Amino acid sequence: MFYASIVFVVNKKDEVLILKRSKKGSFPGVWALPGGKGEPGESPEETAIREVREETKIQLSLDSLLFLHKMVNGEKEFYFFCSKVGDPKPVIDDEHEDWLWIDKAGVEEACGIPADPEVWAKFGEL
């Protein structure tokens, strides 16, 4: 079973981190939340922490993760989390070409990778 974890990383100003995907991978040039595929034996929470660290060098803790929603699409599962952070400056990996802190209210419109409407509803309740 394929699964991925996606994280709303929220700073002290209530802004959300989005990353612009590089042209070398999937969804080239699209702005998206940090996240990625789980590895064998890894929990969705561990995947969320690892992916954010690999993509941005931001270290999340397990107790900082708030589970929002599980989206199932055929044989694929997507776990959405939220994590509050201080005011870090992301250092992006080569899967991305830019990053941006965006107002919480505008993040759904800015993200080019679709998600279940319930994800956005649950995030909006925070």
Side-chain angles (χ1 to χ4, degrees), residues 7 18 26-27 29-30 32 43 57 72-73 95 100 105:
V7 185
I18 58 174
S26 59
F27 299 100
V30 173
S43 72
K57 301 289 188 249
V72 179
N73 184 354
E95 291 179 17
L100 180 66

Side-chain angles (χ1 to χ4, degrees), residues 21-83:
R21 302 194 47 87
S22 73
K23 294 178 181 28
K24 73 176 203 164
S26 59
F27 299 100
V30 173
W31 288 94
L33 298 167
K37 292 186 241 177
E39 295 181 353
E42 198 173 50
S43 72
E45 293 83 1
E46 291 168 331
T47 299
I49 291 168
R50 177 184 52 77
E51 285 289 339
V52 170
R53 184 183 65 246
E54 287 176 359
E55 294 180 358
T56 69
K57 301 289 188 249
I58 295 172
Q59 182 64 51
L60 305 179
S61 64
L62 189 57
D63 61 341
S64 77
L65 286 179
L66 173 66
F67 173 76
L68 294 177
H69 184 66
K70 176 182 171 183
M71 182 177 89
V72 179
N73 184 354
E75 293 293 313
K76 297 177 180 178
E77 296 177 345
F78 299 88
Y79 294 85
F80 290 84
F81 298 92
C82 181
S83 183

